[in-house]
Amino acid sequence: MCLSIPSKILEIDEFNNALVETLGVKRKVSLDLVPEACEIGDFVLIHVGVAMEKIDKDFAKESIKTYQEIVSKMQNGEISADEGDLGLNEFHR
Amino acid sequence: MNFIDEFRDKNTILAFNELIKKELKAPINIMEICGGHTHSIMKYALPSILPKGINFVHGPGCPVCVMPRKRIDMAIKLAAMPNTIFCTLGDLLRVPGSKFSLLELRAKGCDVRALYSPLEVLKIAEQNQDKNIIFFAIGFETTTPMTALLLEKVINLGLENVFFHINHITVPAPIHAIMNDENVKIDAFLGPSHVSVITGWGIYEDIARLYKTPIAVSGFEPVDIMQSVLNIVRQKNEGKFEVFNQYQRAVSKEGNLKAQELVKCYFDECDFEFRGLGEIKKSGLRLKDEFARYNAELKFDCEVESKNESKACICGQILRGVAKPYDCKVFGKACTPKTPIGSCMVSGEGACAAYYKYSKVNE
């Protein structure tokens, strides 16, 4: 019930419902609970047929960039675990 | 970029594992509160790559698993009424009641429906105005706003044939109950993903402080979980016990205020009996008095006599984190997903179902 993954908004109708795509599967969901306005191309988290939050793309991209840096540094033997927080201890939003 | 593959990247998982291995100084028992995390942990076989000192303890965060038999019997009694369409979510249909399950009741000819979304009730009610539509609402904070949204739409549309049986529960109360059990040894928590989307990560600050347990609010993907485990290791090493919001891409401190307002509008706190944990103060929600006309518990006779749980099943201990599925004598033998004895095997989010599905016991 809980395992929702980001779904991309393809269309929004006049009743605040969106057609979303999740890993190739398309379905209609309600946008009534998303606090901020949604646009086509946004990614949302869906739970039981209702979108509950937009994915913050900037935060997601930032995380992914940090991961890629860590992987490449570790593969090149440039860092060890003792070298501080590696940008991973960003606490709050 | 689909924000999924990047969080399942094998090299990133292994890089985090290297850091965890190097930095772990003492064993840590980490309770993952949410059944979704249990499934990810097992699906990606994280215990097999993580160092032995990282021990995952499965928590009570599966709404079907913690539903006491009495509530299942109530559901069956309601669904068996004439002129009724009974609707609910998820795996509840398969949970054994004292005599049989909702699924078996459906086989006897009753109109029992498992919905993808609570909002489907609207169409069902409009198409069946001569019948009572009962929505048996289950779930933690993630699902409660959707029930509130449905009720708001039912009121706005003037539908008079929809009734709600509310079984919504909250995360912090059972966590306090578990931490006050002296048999439980939990050093840290993986905080739920989607509950936190709604509530915000701020609700865990008291728990972290009170029990001196680091809490990492984590996404569901394996990279999310590995990053959260690393943060917990680092907090333990530094003697910290804070809330770390690993799931920044979806969770804020305040959460989804729109959803919270909707819940406050229709629900009050109440006590609720959790399977395996007993009655917990202020752990559930009930419809406010002004919406009594929609309350199935007041409208219909819900009195039931329930049998005790099976003696062979240790779901209660599993939900408290004092036993693992492998400790149960009937796990994988008499109790399988096809022939479930306990709710932890029935629900797709249950710890037993996760162990059965992703481990070698069924091969």
Side-chain angles (χ1 to χ4, degrees), chain A residues 1-6 23 27 30 32-35 43 45 47-50 52-53 55-57 59-61 64 67 71 74-75 81 84-86 88-93, chain B residues 1 3-4 6-7 12 15-16 18-19 22-23 63 116-118 142-143 146 153 194 197 201 220-221 223 227 234 242-251 256 258 262 349:
Chain A
M1 201 154 76
C2 230
L3 272 177
S4 123
I5 47 181
L23 293 174
R27 54 191 165 160
S30 164
D32 285 348
L33 288 183
V34 183
F43 282 81
L45 280 174
H47 182 67
V48 294
V50 181
M52 53 183 176
E53 190 60 85
I55 294 283
D56 189 318
K57 290 188 214 173
F59 272 112
K61 284 174 184 166
I64 292 162
Y67 299 156
V71 170
M74 283 197 105
Q75 285 175 339
D85 73 13
L86 306 173
L88 290 170
N89 287 352
E90 282 298 314
F91 262 74
H92 302 313
R93 170 182 158 194
Chain B
M1 188 174 285
F3 304 110
I4 301 166
E6 299 85 355
F7 294 92
T12 311
F16 274 123
E18 281 306 304
L19 292 168
K22 284 177 177 162
E23 297 186 32
Y116 157 66
S117 169
T142 329
T143 323
M146 289 65 177
K153 287 180 185 288
H194 294 154
V197 169
W201 59 259
F220 277 129
E221 300 301 338
V223 167
Q227 185 181 0
R234 288 178 172 181
E242 297 177 14
V243 182
F244 172 62
N245 180 20
Q246 185 279 334
Y247 202 31
Q248 289 185 57
R249 62 189 184 276
V251 172
N256 182 330
K258 194 174 180 181
L262 202 60
E349 287 179 56

Coordinates of all heavy atoms in Angstrom, one line a residue, chain A residues 1-6 23 27 30 32-35 43 45 47-50 52-53 55-57 59-61 64 67 71 74-75 81 84-86 88-93, chain B residues 1 3-4 6-7 12 15-16 18-19 22-23 63 116-118 142-143 146 153 194 197 201 220-221 223 227 234 242-251 256 258 262 349:
Chain A
M1 N 0.8 -1.2 0.0 CA 0.0 0.0 0.0 C 0.9 1.3 0.0 O 0.5 2.3 -0.6 CB -0.9 0.0 1.3 CG -2.1 0.9 1.1 SD -3.4 0.3 2.2 CE -2.9 0.9 3.8
C2 N 2.0 1.2 0.6 CA 2.8 2.4 0.9 C 3.9 2.7 -0.2 O 4.4 3.7 -0.2 CB 3.5 2.3 2.2 SG 3.2 3.7 3.2
L3 N 4.2 1.6 -0.9 CA 5.4 1.8 -1.8 C 5.0 2.6 -3.1 O 4.7 2.0 -4.1 CB 5.9 0.4 -2.2 CG 6.9 -0.2 -1.2 CD1 7.3 -1.6 -1.7 CD2 8.2 0.7 -1.1
S4 N 5.1 3.9 -2.9 CA 4.8 4.6 -4.1 C 6.1 5.2 -4.7 O 7.0 5.4 -4.0 CB 3.8 5.8 -3.7 OG 4.3 7.0 -4.1
I5 N 6.2 5.3 -6.0 CA 7.4 5.8 -6.6 C 7.0 7.0 -7.5 O 5.8 7.2 -7.8 CB 8.1 4.7 -7.5 CG1 7.1 4.0 -8.3 CG2 8.8 3.8 -6.6 CD1 7.8 2.9 -9.1
P6 N 8.0 7.9 -7.7 CA 7.6 9.1 -8.4 C 6.9 8.9 -9.7 O 7.3 8.0 -10.5 CB 9.0 9.8 -8.7 CG 9.8 9.2 -7.6 CD 9.4 7.8 -7.4
L23 N 6.5 4.4 -14.4 CA 7.3 3.3 -15.0 C 6.5 2.7 -16.2 O 6.3 1.5 -16.3 CB 7.6 2.2 -14.0 CG 8.6 2.6 -12.9 CD1 8.7 1.5 -11.8 CD2 10.0 2.9 -13.4
R27 N -2.2 6.3 -15.3 CA -3.5 6.3 -14.6 C -3.9 7.7 -14.1 O -3.1 8.6 -14.2 CB -3.3 5.4 -13.3 CG -2.2 5.7 -12.5 CD -1.9 4.7 -11.4 NE -0.5 5.0 -10.9 CZ -0.1 4.5 -9.7 NH1 -0.9 3.8 -9.0 NH2 1.1 4.8 -9.3
S30 N -5.9 12.2 -8.3 CA -6.4 13.5 -7.8 C -5.2 14.3 -7.3 O -4.3 13.8 -6.7 CB -7.4 13.3 -6.6 OG -7.6 14.5 -6.0
D32 N -5.9 17.0 -5.4 CA -6.5 17.9 -4.4 C -5.6 18.0 -3.2 O -5.8 19.0 -2.4 CB -7.8 17.3 -4.0 CG -8.9 17.5 -5.1 OD1 -8.6 18.3 -6.0 OD2 -10.0 16.9 -5.0
L33 N -4.7 17.1 -2.9 CA -4.0 17.2 -1.6 C -2.6 17.8 -1.8 O -1.9 18.0 -0.8 CB -3.9 15.8 -1.0 CG -5.1 15.3 -0.3 CD1 -4.8 13.9 0.4 CD2 -5.7 16.2 0.7
V34 N -2.2 18.1 -3.0 CA -0.8 18.6 -3.2 C -0.9 20.1 -2.8 O -1.7 20.8 -3.4 CB -0.3 18.5 -4.7 CG1 1.1 19.0 -4.8 CG2 -0.4 17.0 -5.1
P35 N 0.0 20.5 -1.9 CA -0.1 21.9 -1.4 C 0.2 23.0 -2.4 O -0.4 24.0 -2.4 CB 1.0 21.9 -0.3 CG 1.3 20.5 0.0 CD 1.1 19.7 -1.2
F43 N 7.0 15.7 -11.1 CA 6.9 14.4 -10.6 C 6.2 14.5 -9.2 O 6.5 15.4 -8.4 CB 8.3 13.8 -10.3 CG 9.0 13.3 -11.6 CD1 9.6 14.2 -12.5 CD2 8.9 11.9 -11.9 CE1 10.2 13.7 -13.6 CE2 9.5 11.5 -13.1 CZ 10.1 12.3 -13.9
L45 N 4.4 12.1 -5.8 CA 4.2 10.8 -5.1 C 2.8 10.5 -5.0 O 2.0 11.4 -4.5 CB 4.9 10.9 -3.7 CG 6.4 10.8 -3.6 CD1 6.8 11.1 -2.2 CD2 6.9 9.4 -4.1
H47 N -0.3 8.1 -3.5 CA -0.7 7.1 -2.5 C -2.2 6.9 -2.6 O -3.0 7.8 -2.6 CB -0.4 7.6 -1.1 CG -0.7 6.6 0.0 ND1 0.0 5.4 0.1 CD2 -1.6 6.6 1.0 CE1 -0.5 4.8 1.2 NE2 -1.5 5.5 1.7
V48 N -2.6 5.6 -2.8 CA -4.0 5.2 -3.0 C -4.8 6.2 -3.9 O -5.9 6.6 -3.6 CB -4.8 5.0 -1.6 CG1 -4.2 3.8 -0.9 CG2 -4.8 6.2 -0.7
G49 N -4.2 6.4 -5.1 CA -4.9 7.2 -6.1 C -4.9 8.7 -5.9 O -5.6 9.4 -6.6
V50 N -4.2 9.2 -4.9 CA -4.2 10.6 -4.6 C -2.7 11.1 -4.6 O -1.9 10.4 -3.9 CB -4.9 10.9 -3.3 CG1 -4.9 12.4 -3.0 CG2 -6.3 10.4 -3.3
M52 N 0.2 13.2 -3.2 CA 0.3 13.8 -1.8 C 1.5 14.9 -1.8 O 1.5 15.7 -0.9 CB 0.5 12.8 -0.7 CG 1.6 11.8 -1.0 SD 1.6 10.6 0.4 CE 2.9 9.5 -0.2
E53 N 2.4 14.8 -2.7 CA 3.5 15.8 -2.7 C 4.2 15.8 -4.0 O 4.3 14.8 -4.7 CB 4.4 15.4 -1.5 CG 5.5 16.5 -1.2 CD 4.9 17.8 -0.7 OE1 4.6 18.0 0.4 OE2 4.8 18.7 -1.6
I55 N 7.7 16.0 -6.0 CA 9.1 15.7 -5.7 C 9.9 16.9 -6.0 O 9.7 17.6 -7.0 CB 9.6 14.5 -6.7 CG1 8.9 13.2 -6.4 CG2 11.2 14.4 -6.6 CD1 9.4 12.5 -5.2
D56 N 10.8 17.3 -5.1 CA 11.6 18.5 -5.3 C 12.8 18.1 -6.1 O 13.7 17.4 -5.7 CB 12.1 19.0 -3.9 CG 12.8 20.3 -4.0 OD1 13.6 20.5 -5.0 OD2 12.5 21.2 -3.2
K57 N 12.7 18.4 -7.4 CA 13.7 18.0 -8.4 C 15.1 18.5 -8.0 O 16.1 17.7 -8.2 CB 13.3 18.4 -9.8 CG 12.1 17.7 -10.4 CD 12.0 18.1 -11.8 CE 10.5 18.2 -12.2 NZ 10.3 18.7 -13.6
F59 N 16.4 19.1 -5.0 CA 17.0 18.3 -3.9 C 17.4 16.9 -4.4 O 18.4 16.4 -4.1 CB 16.0 18.1 -2.8 CG 16.0 19.2 -1.8 CD1 15.0 20.1 -1.7 CD2 17.1 19.4 -1.0 CE1 15.0 21.2 -0.8 CE2 17.2 20.4 0.0 CZ 16.1 21.3 0.1
A60 N 16.5 16.3 -5.3 CA 16.8 15.0 -5.8 C 18.1 15.0 -6.6 O 19.0 14.2 -6.5 CB 15.6 14.5 -6.6
K61 N 18.2 16.0 -7.5 CA 19.4 16.1 -8.4 C 20.7 16.4 -7.5 O 21.7 15.8 -7.8 CB 19.2 17.3 -9.4 CG 18.3 16.9 -10.5 CD 18.0 18.1 -11.4 CE 17.0 17.7 -12.5 NZ 16.4 18.9 -13.1
I64 N 21.7 13.1 -6.0 CA 22.3 12.2 -7.1 C 23.7 12.6 -7.4 O 24.6 11.8 -7.6 CB 21.3 12.2 -8.3 CG1 20.0 11.5 -8.0 CG2 22.0 11.4 -9.5 CD1 18.9 11.7 -8.9
Y67 N 26.0 11.5 -4.7 CA 26.2 10.1 -4.8 C 27.3 9.8 -5.9 O 28.2 9.0 -5.7 CB 24.9 9.3 -5.2 CG 23.8 9.4 -4.2 CD1 22.5 9.3 -4.5 CD2 24.1 9.8 -2.8 CE1 21.5 9.4 -3.6 CE2 23.0 9.9 -1.9 CZ 21.7 9.7 -2.3 OH 20.7 9.8 -1.4
V71 N 30.9 7.9 -5.5 CA 31.2 6.6 -6.2 C 32.5 6.8 -7.0 O 33.4 5.9 -6.9 CB 30.0 6.2 -7.1 CG1 30.4 5.1 -8.1 CG2 28.8 5.8 -6.3
M74 N 35.5 7.0 -4.7 CA 35.8 5.7 -4.1 C 36.4 4.8 -5.1 O 37.4 4.0 -4.8 CB 34.6 5.1 -3.4 CG 34.2 5.8 -2.1 SD 33.1 4.8 -1.2 CE 34.2 4.2 0.1
Q75 N 35.9 4.8 -6.3 CA 36.4 3.9 -7.3 C 37.9 4.3 -7.7 O 38.7 3.4 -8.1 CB 35.5 3.9 -8.6 CG 34.2 3.1 -8.3 CD 33.2 3.2 -9.5 OE1 33.3 4.2 -10.3 NE2 32.3 2.3 -9.6
A81 N 36.8 6.4 4.2 CA 35.6 6.8 5.0 C 36.0 7.8 6.1 O 35.0 8.4 6.7 CB 35.1 5.5 5.7
G84 N 35.6 12.9 6.7 CA 34.6 13.8 7.0 C 33.2 13.4 6.4 O 33.0 12.3 6.0
D85 N 32.3 14.4 6.2 CA 31.0 14.0 6.0 C 30.6 13.8 4.5 O 29.6 13.3 4.1 CB 30.0 15.0 6.6 CG 29.9 16.3 5.9 OD1 30.4 16.4 4.8 OD2 29.4 17.3 6.5
L86 N 31.6 14.1 3.6 CA 31.4 13.9 2.2 C 30.1 14.6 1.6 O 29.5 14.2 0.7 CB 31.3 12.4 1.8 CG 32.4 11.5 2.3 CD1 32.1 10.1 2.1 CD2 33.7 11.9 1.7
L88 N 27.3 14.4 3.0 CA 26.1 13.6 3.3 C 25.4 13.9 4.6 O 24.4 13.3 4.9 CB 26.6 12.1 3.4 CG 27.1 11.5 2.1 CD1 27.7 10.2 2.4 CD2 25.9 11.3 1.2
N89 N 25.9 14.9 5.3 CA 25.2 15.2 6.6 C 24.4 16.5 6.6 O 24.2 17.1 7.6 CB 26.2 15.2 7.7 CG 26.7 13.8 8.0 OD1 26.2 12.8 7.5 ND2 27.7 13.7 8.9
E90 N 23.9 16.8 5.4 CA 23.1 18.0 5.2 C 21.8 17.6 5.9 O 21.0 16.8 5.5 CB 22.8 18.3 3.8 CG 23.9 18.9 3.0 CD 24.2 20.3 3.6 OE1 23.2 21.1 3.9 OE2 25.4 20.6 3.9
F91 N 21.5 18.3 7.0 CA 20.4 17.8 7.9 C 19.0 18.2 7.5 O 18.1 17.5 7.3 CB 20.6 18.2 9.3 CG 21.2 17.0 10.1 CD1 22.5 16.7 9.9 CD2 20.4 16.3 10.9 CE1 23.0 15.6 10.6 CE2 20.9 15.2 11.6 CZ 22.2 14.9 11.5
H92 N 18.8 19.5 7.4 CA 17.4 20.0 7.4 C 17.0 20.7 6.2 O 17.8 21.3 5.4 CB 17.1 20.9 8.7 CG 17.5 20.2 9.9 ND1 17.0 18.9 10.2 CD2 18.2 20.5 11.0 CE1 17.5 18.5 11.4 NE2 18.2 19.5 11.9
R93 N 15.7 20.7 6.0 CA 15.1 21.5 4.9 C 14.0 22.4 5.4 O 13.3 22.0 6.3 CB 14.5 20.5 3.9 CG 13.7 21.1 2.8 CD 13.1 20.0 1.9 NE 12.0 20.5 1.2 CZ 11.1 19.7 0.6 NH1 11.3 18.4 0.7 NH2 10.1 20.2 0.0
Chain B
M1 N 16.2 11.2 -16.5 CA 16.2 11.0 -15.1 C 14.7 10.8 -14.6 O 13.8 11.6 -14.9 CB 16.7 12.3 -14.4 CG 16.9 12.2 -12.9 SD 17.7 13.7 -12.2 CE 19.4 13.5 -12.7
F3 N 14.1 9.7 -11.2 CA 14.2 9.8 -9.8 C 13.9 8.4 -9.1 O 13.5 8.3 -8.0 CB 13.2 10.8 -9.2 CG 13.5 12.2 -9.8 CD1 12.6 12.8 -10.7 CD2 14.7 12.9 -9.5 CE1 12.9 14.0 -11.3 CE2 14.9 14.1 -10.0 CZ 14.1 14.7 -10.9
I4 N 14.1 7.3 -9.9 CA 13.9 6.0 -9.3 C 15.3 5.3 -9.5 O 15.9 4.8 -8.5 CB 12.8 5.2 -10.0 CG1 11.5 5.9 -9.9 CG2 12.7 3.8 -9.5 CD1 10.4 5.5 -10.8
E6 N 18.2 6.2 -10.2 CA 19.4 6.8 -9.6 C 19.5 6.4 -8.1 O 20.5 6.3 -7.5 CB 19.3 8.3 -9.6 CG 19.3 8.9 -11.0 CD 17.9 8.9 -11.7 OE1 17.0 8.4 -11.0 OE2 17.8 9.5 -12.8
F7 N 18.3 6.0 -7.5 CA 18.3 5.7 -6.1 C 18.3 4.1 -5.9 O 18.1 3.6 -4.8 CB 17.0 6.3 -5.4 CG 17.1 7.8 -5.4 CD1 16.6 8.6 -6.4 CD2 17.8 8.4 -4.3 CE1 16.7 9.9 -6.3 CE2 17.9 9.8 -4.3 CZ 17.3 10.6 -5.3
T12 N 26.4 2.9 -6.0 CA 26.1 3.8 -4.9 C 25.8 3.0 -3.6 O 26.3 3.4 -2.5 CB 24.9 4.8 -5.2 OG1 25.1 5.4 -6.5 CG2 24.8 5.9 -4.2
A15 N 29.1 1.7 -2.4 CA 30.0 2.8 -1.8 C 29.5 3.1 -0.4 O 30.3 3.3 0.5 CB 29.9 4.1 -2.7
F16 N 28.2 3.2 -0.2 CA 27.7 3.5 1.1 C 28.1 2.3 2.1 O 28.4 2.5 3.2 CB 26.2 3.7 1.1 CG 25.8 5.1 0.8 CD1 24.9 5.4 -0.3 CD2 26.2 6.2 1.6 CE1 24.6 6.7 -0.5 CE2 25.9 7.5 1.3 CZ 25.0 7.8 0.3
E18 N 30.6 0.4 1.9 CA 32.0 0.5 2.3 C 32.2 1.5 3.5 O 32.9 1.2 4.5 CB 32.9 1.0 1.1 CG 33.2 0.0 0.1 CD 33.9 -1.2 0.7 OE1 34.9 -1.0 1.4 OE2 33.4 -2.3 0.6
L19 N 31.5 2.7 3.4 CA 31.6 3.7 4.4 C 31.1 3.1 5.7 O 31.6 3.3 6.8 CB 30.9 4.9 4.0 CG 31.5 5.7 2.8 CD1 30.5 6.8 2.3 CD2 32.8 6.4 3.2
K22 N 33.4 0.7 7.3 CA 34.6 1.3 7.9 C 34.3 2.1 9.2 O 35.1 2.2 10.1 CB 35.2 2.3 6.9 CG 36.0 1.6 5.8 CD 36.5 2.5 4.8 CE 37.4 1.8 3.8 NZ 37.5 2.6 2.6
E23 N 33.1 2.6 9.3 CA 32.8 3.5 10.4 C 32.0 2.9 11.5 O 32.0 3.4 12.6 CB 32.0 4.7 9.8 CG 32.8 5.5 8.8 CD 32.0 6.8 8.4 OE1 31.3 7.4 9.2 OE2 32.2 7.2 7.2
P63 N -0.5 -1.3 8.5 CA -1.8 -1.1 9.1 C -2.7 -2.4 9.1 O -3.5 -2.6 10.0 CB -2.5 0.0 8.2 CG -1.6 0.1 7.0 CD -0.2 -0.4 7.4
Y116 N -8.6 0.6 -5.4 CA -7.3 1.1 -5.6 C -7.2 2.5 -4.8 O -6.2 2.8 -4.3 CB -7.1 1.3 -7.1 CG -6.1 2.3 -7.5 CD1 -4.7 2.2 -7.2 CD2 -6.4 3.5 -8.2 CE1 -3.8 3.1 -7.5 CE2 -5.5 4.4 -8.5 CZ -4.2 4.3 -8.2 OH -3.3 5.2 -8.5
S117 N -8.3 3.2 -4.8 CA -8.4 4.5 -4.2 C -9.7 4.7 -3.5 O -10.8 4.3 -4.0 CB -8.2 5.6 -5.3 OG -8.5 6.9 -4.7
P118 N -9.7 5.4 -2.3 CA -10.9 5.6 -1.6 C -11.9 6.4 -2.5 O -13.1 6.3 -2.3 CB -10.5 6.5 -0.4 CG -9.1 6.2 -0.2 CD -8.5 5.8 -1.5
T142 N -0.5 8.5 6.4 CA -0.4 8.7 5.0 C -1.8 8.6 4.3 O -2.1 9.3 3.4 CB 0.4 7.5 4.3 OG1 1.4 7.1 5.3 CG2 1.0 7.9 3.0
T143 N -2.7 7.7 4.8 CA -3.9 7.4 4.2 C -5.1 8.2 4.8 O -6.1 8.4 4.1 CB -4.2 5.9 4.4 OG1 -3.0 5.2 4.3 CG2 -5.2 5.4 3.3
M146 N -6.7 11.0 2.7 CA -7.5 10.5 1.6 C -8.9 10.2 2.0 O -9.9 10.4 1.3 CB -6.8 9.3 0.9 CG -5.5 9.6 0.1 SD -4.2 10.2 1.2 CE -2.8 10.4 0.1
K153 N -15.8 15.2 -0.1 CA -16.5 15.1 -1.4 C -17.9 14.5 -1.2 O -18.9 14.9 -1.9 CB -15.7 14.3 -2.4 CG -14.4 15.0 -2.9 CD -13.6 14.2 -3.8 CE -12.3 14.9 -4.2 NZ -12.5 16.0 -5.2
H194 N 6.5 7.9 3.7 CA 5.3 8.6 3.3 C 4.4 9.2 4.4 O 3.7 10.2 4.2 CB 4.5 7.7 2.3 CG 5.2 7.5 1.0 ND1 5.0 6.4 0.2 CD2 6.2 8.2 0.5 CE1 5.9 6.5 -0.8 NE2 6.6 7.6 -0.7
V197 N 5.9 12.4 4.7 CA 5.5 13.4 3.7 C 4.3 14.2 4.2 O 4.2 15.4 4.1 CB 5.1 12.7 2.4 CG1 4.5 13.6 1.4 CG2 6.4 12.1 1.8
W201 N 8.9 15.8 9.3 CA 9.8 15.1 10.1 C 9.9 15.6 11.6 O 10.4 14.9 12.5 CB 11.2 15.0 9.5 CG 11.9 16.3 9.3 CD1 12.1 16.9 8.1 CD2 12.6 17.1 10.2 NE1 12.8 18.1 8.2 CE2 13.2 18.2 9.5 CE3 12.9 17.0 11.6 CZ2 13.9 19.2 10.2 CZ3 13.6 18.0 12.2 CH2 14.1 19.1 11.5
F220 N 12.3 5.1 0.3 CA 12.1 3.7 0.2 C 13.1 3.0 -0.6 O 13.2 1.7 -0.6 CB 10.7 3.4 -0.4 CG 9.6 3.4 0.5 CD1 8.5 4.1 0.3 CD2 9.7 2.7 1.7 CE1 7.4 4.2 1.1 CE2 8.6 2.7 2.6 CZ 7.5 3.5 2.3
E221 N 13.9 3.7 -1.4 CA 14.8 3.0 -2.3 C 16.1 2.6 -1.6 O 16.4 3.1 -0.5 CB 15.2 4.0 -3.5 CG 14.0 4.4 -4.3 CD 13.2 3.3 -5.0 OE1 13.8 2.2 -5.1 OE2 12.0 3.5 -5.3
V223 N 19.3 3.0 -2.0 CA 20.3 4.0 -1.8 C 19.8 4.9 -0.6 O 20.6 5.3 0.3 CB 20.6 4.9 -3.0 CG1 21.4 6.1 -2.7 CG2 21.3 4.0 -4.1
Q227 N 22.0 5.3 2.8 CA 22.5 6.7 3.3 C 22.0 6.9 4.7 O 22.7 7.4 5.6 CB 22.0 7.8 2.4 CG 22.5 9.1 2.8 CD 22.0 10.3 1.9 OE1 21.3 10.1 1.0 NE2 22.4 11.5 2.2
R234 N 26.9 7.3 12.0 CA 27.7 8.5 12.4 C 27.1 9.2 13.6 O 27.9 9.6 14.5 CB 27.7 9.4 11.2 CG 28.6 8.9 10.1 CD 28.6 9.8 8.9 NE 29.6 9.3 7.9 CZ 29.8 9.9 6.7 NH1 29.2 11.0 6.4 NH2 30.8 9.4 6.0
E242 N 19.5 12.8 16.8 CA 18.7 13.9 16.1 C 17.9 13.2 15.0 O 18.0 12.0 14.8 CB 19.7 14.9 15.5 CG 20.5 15.6 16.5 CD 21.5 16.6 15.9 OE1 21.4 16.8 14.6 OE2 22.5 17.0 16.6
V243 N 17.0 14.0 14.4 CA 16.3 13.5 13.3 C 17.0 14.0 12.0 O 17.2 15.2 11.8 CB 14.8 14.1 13.3 CG1 14.0 13.5 12.1 CG2 14.1 13.7 14.6
F244 N 17.4 13.0 11.2 CA 18.0 13.3 9.9 C 17.0 13.1 8.8 O 16.4 12.1 8.7 CB 19.2 12.4 9.7 CG 19.9 12.4 8.4 CD1 20.5 13.6 7.9 CD2 19.9 11.3 7.6 CE1 21.1 13.6 6.7 CE2 20.5 11.3 6.3 CZ 21.1 12.5 5.9
N245 N 16.8 14.2 8.0 CA 15.8 14.1 6.9 C 16.6 13.6 5.6 O 17.0 14.5 4.9 CB 15.1 15.4 6.7 CG 14.1 15.3 5.6 OD1 13.7 14.3 5.2 ND2 13.7 16.5 5.1
Q246 N 16.7 12.4 5.5 CA 17.3 11.9 4.2 C 16.4 12.0 3.0 O 16.9 12.2 1.9 CB 17.7 10.4 4.4 CG 18.5 9.7 3.3 CD 17.6 9.3 2.1 OE1 16.4 9.1 2.2 NE2 18.2 9.3 0.9
Y247 N 15.1 12.1 3.3 CA 14.1 12.1 2.2 C 13.7 13.5 1.8 O 12.6 13.8 1.7 CB 12.9 11.3 2.6 CG 12.0 10.7 1.5 CD1 12.5 10.4 0.3 CD2 10.7 10.5 1.8 CE1 11.7 9.8 -0.7 CE2 9.8 10.0 0.8 CZ 10.4 9.7 -0.4 OH 9.5 9.2 -1.4
Q248 N 14.8 14.4 1.7 CA 14.5 15.8 1.5 C 13.7 16.1 0.2 O 13.1 17.1 0.1 CB 15.8 16.6 1.4 CG 16.6 16.7 2.7 CD 17.8 17.5 2.5 OE1 17.7 18.7 2.1 NE2 19.0 17.0 2.9
R249 N 13.8 15.2 -0.7 CA 13.1 15.5 -2.0 C 11.6 15.4 -1.9 O 10.9 15.8 -2.8 CB 13.6 14.5 -3.1 CG 13.4 13.1 -2.9 CD 14.1 12.2 -4.0 NE 13.9 10.8 -3.9 CZ 14.5 10.0 -3.1 NH1 15.4 10.4 -2.2 NH2 14.2 8.7 -3.1
A250 N 11.1 14.9 -0.7 CA 9.7 14.8 -0.6 C 9.2 15.2 0.8 O 8.0 15.5 1.0 CB 9.2 13.4 -0.8
V251 N 10.1 15.3 1.8 CA 9.7 15.6 3.2 C 10.2 16.9 3.7 O 11.4 17.2 3.5 CB 10.1 14.4 4.1 CG1 9.9 14.8 5.6 CG2 9.5 13.1 3.7
N256 N 2.8 18.1 4.9 CA 1.8 18.6 4.0 C 0.6 19.3 4.8 O -0.3 18.6 5.3 CB 1.2 17.5 3.2 CG 0.2 17.9 2.1 OD1 -0.5 18.8 2.4 ND2 0.1 17.2 1.0
K258 N -1.8 21.2 4.0 CA -3.2 21.1 3.4 C -3.8 19.7 3.9 O -5.0 19.7 4.3 CB -3.0 21.1 1.9 CG -4.3 21.3 1.1 CD -3.9 21.4 -0.4 CE -5.2 21.7 -1.2 NZ -4.8 21.8 -2.6
L262 N -7.1 19.1 6.6 CA -8.3 18.3 6.2 C -8.5 17.2 7.3 O -9.7 17.0 7.7 CB -8.0 17.7 4.9 CG -9.2 17.2 4.0 CD1 -10.1 18.4 3.7 CD2 -8.7 16.5 2.7
E349 N 2.7 -5.8 3.1 CA 3.7 -5.0 3.8 C 4.2 -5.7 5.1 O 5.0 -5.2 5.8 CB 3.1 -3.7 4.2 CG 2.9 -2.7 3.1 CD 2.3 -1.4 3.6 OE1 2.8 -0.8 4.5 OE2 1.2 -1.0 3.0

